[in-house]
Amino acid sequence: MHTFKAGYGYTDFANDSGQLQGDGVPAGITAGAKNVDTFLLTYDYNFNKNWTFGLAVGIPPTVKLKAQASGQDLGEVGESKSLAPTFLAIYRYPLQGGWNVYAGLGVNYTKFVDVEVYEGYTFSLLSGVVGPVLAQQLIASGQASAAGEIDDSIGAAFKLGVSHSFAANWLIDLSYSYYDVTADISNTVNVNGFPPSSQKISIDVDPSLYSLSLGYTF
């Protein structure tokens, strides 16, 4: 038996951050991902009334990164889209009246794409080295730019949920999921005529996902 579900998800990031390290970086700057809404898609293959294989995907949300601690005045410093397919083994326990409760354990693979470093962050780094006036001129003329990269992450995933079959083939599903995700971020600032400078930070973003979905079973 197959079940397709689509719905709304709200992601709350834990954000256990290390300090930003590298060239031209003041001490004490940390960062965290901002909470985000997303559209979810889930496929379940039901082996029997108790055991299910689950695949969770969705439209990749744009996750914004915000500087924290001593860098909080910088505000948002960049963004990325996250592709995060999750594979789960799910145990489902049927109750009366079309209700089911379930728990799942599996693995999550997160790939960060379309990484963008905001000009305000690049300006702040350059200003500490060459001063704000020259920094602005270098950026405006295209002689200075920054490029970011975030390593892929593989970690455990856990899910709890409840579903209710309210009509033939149709169900509504409410769930909570937790993902072990680490974002190892590197940034390189390039200025024409000078060696590139680099900065790195590692953040255990560890998202909690709360979702409400409508499903169809056949």
Side-chain angles (χ1 to χ4, degrees):
M1 194 161 59
H2 309 271
T3 301
F4 286 94
K5 291 179 283 187
Y8 165 80
Y10 176 77
T11 303
D12 181 12
F13 295 99
N15 291 326
D16 183 8
S17 173
Q19 292 191 25
L20 184 66
Q21 305 289 331
D23 303 322
V25 176
I29 297 177
T30 63
K34 296 184 67 175
N35 297 346
V36 65
D37 301 314
T38 189
F39 178 77
L40 301 174
L41 294 171
T42 303
Y43 166 73
D44 290 342
Y45 177 74
N46 307 298
F47 294 97
N48 52 47
K49 71 175 184 178
N50 294 118
W51 286 102
T52 296
F53 165 79
L55 170 62
V57 291
I59 295 178
T62 298
V63 180
K64 297 181 182 296
L65 191 68
K66 185 177 181 179
Q68 298 175 340
S70 66
Q72 62 182 348
D73 290 343
L74 294 173
E76 295 177 2
V77 295
E79 65 180 53
S80 172
K81 288 184 171 62
S82 61
L83 305 170
T86 302
F87 306 89
L88 294 161
I90 300 169
Y91 182 79
R92 188 178 305 274
Y93 186 79
L95 303 174
Q96 294 181 350
W99 290 92
N100 289 268
V101 293
Y102 62 87
L105 185 65
V107 62
N108 164 262
Y109 170 71
T110 301
K111 184 176 184 63
F112 300 93
V113 299
D114 297 338
V115 179
E116 179 183 348
V117 180
Y118 293 166
E119 277 191 3
Y121 173 73
T122 306
F123 171 76
S124 178
L125 287 178
L126 286 178
S127 293
V129 179
V130 301
V133 175
L134 181 55
Q136 185 61 52
Q137 292 174 348
L138 290 170
I139 292 172
S141 64
Q143 298 182 69
S145 62
E149 183 177 346
I150 308 176
D151 294 344
D152 298 349
S153 174
I154 298 177
F158 175 73
K159 185 175 185 179
L160 289 173
V162 58
S163 66
H164 179 242
S165 299
F166 61 89
N169 303 105
W170 289 98
L171 61 88
I172 191 167
D173 184 278
L174 180 67
S175 69
Y176 165 79
S177 301
Y178 174 83
Y179 305 99
D180 177 21
V181 179
T182 299
D184 290 325
I185 306 170
S186 59
N187 176 65
T188 302
V189 178
N190 294 289
V191 180
N192 288 353
F194 294 90
S197 64
S198 61
Q199 302 81 37
K200 294 184 177 181
I201 192 170
S202 182
I203 310 169
D204 291 330
V205 291
D206 295 344
S208 291
L209 174 65
Y210 305 87
S211 67
L212 178 64
S213 301
L214 181 67
Y216 182 79
T217 298
F218 60 95

